[in-house]
Amino acid sequence: MVVAFIIWSIVASIFVMIGVVNWRSKTEVGFFTGVEPGKKKDIVGYNHAVAKIWFFYAAIFEIIGIPFLFIQQNSMMAVVVMLLIFALTIGIIVVYIKIDAKYKAV
C-alpha cells in the first residue's frame, strides 16, 4: 500500500499548489468549480483565507492517508479513511461559506 500513499501524497501536493496559486492571485479566486466568487471587499484577505483552507485541507489529507502505510489491500480501514475525507470535505465547505460571507462586498 506504499504506492497508494505515494499517490495520496501527490494529491495532497496538488492541493498545496492550489493554495499557493490562490495566495498569489490578484483577483478573487473561486472555490467551487464553475462558480464565480463575486466581488469581495478585501481581495487579498479573501484569497489568503481561501489559500489557508487549501493548506489545511492538504495537511489533514496527508495525515489521514498515513494508515495506507500500514494497512493491507482491501482492508476495512480504507473505508474509514474515505469516510474521514468525506467529513473533512464537508467541513472545509462550511468554513468556506463563512469566509465568503465575511468578505462579501455589500
Side-chain angles (χ1 to χ4, degrees), residues 33-84:
T33 304
V35 178
E36 293 296 321
K39 295 292 180 191
K40 305 297 177 201
K41 58 185 173 186
D42 178 12
I43 295 172
V44 173
Y46 168 77
N47 288 347
H48 286 185
V50 172
K52 288 175 188 174
I53 290 175
W54 285 109
F55 296 145
F56 176 79
Y57 189 77
I60 300 302
F61 189 86
E62 187 69 19
I63 291 168
I64 290 174
I66 290 174
F68 281 127
L69 291 171
F70 308 106
I71 63 175
Q72 294 181 356
Q73 192 169 358
N74 299 329
S75 170
M76 187 62 177
M77 187 61 183
V79 174
V80 173
V81 168
M82 294 304 146
L83 290 174
L84 289 171

Side-chain angles (χ1 to χ4, degrees), residues 13-25:
S13 300
I14 291 170
F15 292 144
V16 169
M17 287 187 276
I18 291 171
V20 169
V21 169
N22 288 349
W23 189 276
R24 294 181 176 179
S25 180

